[in-house]
Amino acid sequence: MPGTVLLLAASPVGRGRLVDAASVLPVLAAVEPAVLSGTPTASVVELADPLEPQAVLSRLRAAAAAPGPLTVFVTGQLQLDRRQSLPHLALARTTAATVRYTALPWHWLREELRLRPDGTTTVVADLYADQESWRQLAERPLDTGRNIAVYGRIAPPPARRAVAAPAYMKAVATILRSGHRPPVDELHEQALARLAVEEGAGAGGRGSSGGPGLVLAAGRPAAADPHASIAAWVESGRHEEADALAARWEQDAVREHGAASEEALHWSEVRADLAMFAGDAAGSCRAWLSVAATRLAMGQGAGAVQVEAAVDRAHHQWGQIRDPERARQLGPLLAELRGRVPGRQQGALDHVRRQLRQLQTARG
């Protein structure tokens, strides 16, 4: 059946604007309707900085009544109605004092989509929250209804007097402009990976300055396996994207289970291997040293298989480092761990000490 696409980009005009939501519409509009929808044919409705919540509601209601698949791309900012503490999507005339009358209540969107058949509705969202909304989201996640697959992110408010760019939605649009729409869960992961790479580059290679915020992935199938995407990216030489996706899963595991959990350590080990595949021996060595130290701090014994393996791999990667200064920096850390975890290979600690002496002599 033909699909329907609703492109909704809204943010206040003036000092209350947190994100330049409408700036993403030209990029989305350049994508073929069938690619936006994931169906052979589709109709597209575009709403750029609408003024009245009732006008948005009427367009949303018409889109929800369409019989085929519906995809809603929504970009904007969340603000609270202070009287009822309900989240609203701010529109062009919205101010902090007029949220209740000039913004679109989020539950309107949920209710209009509630009666649609299961599996036919997808919302892709890139939202910024004001301070009040952001505090509330920590206790009360955004309710999108059980029958809607929701992907995207909610970001905290940008720095004071700054207007953010809808970077997640632009990443989605850039991927779709290739002319191919992957399954929406893969599209979501690819967009997060691209976003992490871009934020890392913008921070001078030091990594994201805050990440994507709250990740929305309520519609992710239980069988979704990021390892397949990571392996494909490594095979095609896209090492930065592979590491960015692994980093996203590592952060999720830390948030859900703790930094010393097996779930988080698994992804730390994946990232150590990814550094090796990318030719970053020093980065791989440092990551394995961190994994080994964490496992020891958890109370795992020096003879535990996973502890020994981490130190052995750190040792191997240290031997592959071609920059003498980086090898000198990591050598004492490796020697300290080798003293605690001698491993099965006889003379491993002596080997590290001997190599360190040679490095020091070469520098002198």
Side-chain angles (χ1 to χ4, degrees):
M1 297 182 69
T4 301
V5 176
L6 177 62
L7 306 179
L8 172 56
S11 54
V13 175
R15 294 172 57 188
R17 173 173 289 202
L18 302 179
V19 57
D20 185 9
S23 65
V24 76
L25 286 179
V27 191
L28 282 171
V31 179
E32 288 292 328
V35 177
L36 286 172
S37 177
T39 57
T41 60
S43 59
V44 177
V45 178
E46 182 177 316
L47 291 175
D49 282 332
L51 301 176
E52 301 292 342
Q54 289 293 338
V56 178
L57 178 63
S58 64
R59 294 295 186 93
L60 178 62
R61 186 167 291 165
L70 170 64
T71 306
V72 179
F73 294 85
V74 55
T75 308
Q77 66 188 62
L78 295 174
Q79 293 185 222
L80 281 187
D81 165 17
R82 292 173 178 171
R83 181 180 299 182
Q84 296 181 306
S85 295
L86 293 175
H88 287 57
L89 182 70
L91 303 183
R93 293 176 177 170
T94 301
T95 65
T98 65
V99 171
R100 185 169 187 171
Y101 308 102
T102 61
L104 180 79
W106 185 260
H107 64 268
W108 284 11
L109 182 144
R110 183 194 66 219
E111 289 301 311
E112 290 302 321
L113 302 179
R114 179 175 59 87
L115 297 180
R116 286 183 53 82
D118 288 351
T120 65
T121 311
T122 302
V123 173
V124 180
D126 189 358
L127 303 169
Y128 279 77
D130 67 358
Q131 290 287 359
E132 292 175 319
S133 299
W134 186 249
R135 284 193 294 268
Q136 179 171 290
L137 286 168
E139 301 176 357
R140 293 167 53 187
L142 197 64
D143 183 7
T144 54
R146 62 165 188 82
N147 64 322
I148 306 170
V150 182
Y151 294 89
R153 63 92 175 256
I154 304 175
R160 194 172 182 180
R161 293 188 295 275
V163 176
Y168 171 86
M169 194 65 77
K170 286 186 176 179
V172 168
T174 301
I175 294 166
L176 293 178
R177 285 187 67 179
S178 68
H180 168 67
R181 171 172 160 163
V184 68
D185 55 320
E186 293 182 20
L187 173 65
H188 169 69
E189 295 289 0
Q190 290 178 26
L192 286 178
R194 182 181 290 268
L195 181 60
V197 169
E198 291 175 353
E199 288 184 342
R206 295 187 299 273
S208 170
S209 58
L214 300 173
V215 175
L216 304 172
R220 179 189 292 151
D225 182 5
H227 297 84
S229 297
I230 289 170
W233 281 339
V234 169
E235 189 174 347
S236 61
R238 295 162 64 184
H239 298 289
E240 285 187 342
E241 289 172 284
D243 183 65
L245 178 54
R248 177 81 263 127
W249 281 81
E250 182 183 35
Q251 291 164 13
D252 288 347
V254 169
R255 185 164 49 246
E256 187 170 348
H257 304 286
S261 65
E262 284 297 330
E263 292 84 354
L265 286 169
H266 165 75
W267 287 107
S268 298
E269 292 173 348
V270 168
R271 297 189 68 196
D273 278 336
L274 290 176
M276 176 189 68
F277 292 136
D280 181 9
S284 182
C285 175
R286 188 182 297 278
W288 282 117
L289 290 172
S290 176
V291 168
T294 301
R295 289 193 178 281
L296 288 169
M298 290 166 60
Q300 294 184 16
V305 173
Q306 290 171 307
V307 175
E308 282 191 348
V311 178
D312 287 346
R313 288 169 180 169
H315 191 161
H316 175 74
Q317 287 300 298
W318 185 67
Q320 305 301 309
I321 299 172
R322 296 294 172 255
D323 181 347
E325 186 57 38
R326 298 191 76 183
R328 277 191 288 267
Q329 291 172 357
L330 292 171
L333 299 175
L334 177 60
E336 191 275 332
L337 274 176
R338 265 300 179 212
R340 301 169 64 188
V341 187
R344 309 296 172 89
Q345 187 173 349
Q346 193 171 8
L349 177 57
D350 290 339
H351 173 265
V352 175
R353 288 171 173 168
R354 187 168 58 252
Q355 291 296 108
L356 262 178
R357 283 195 297 269
Q358 292 178 2
L359 287 167
Q360 297 293 349
T361 301
R363 182 169 64 177

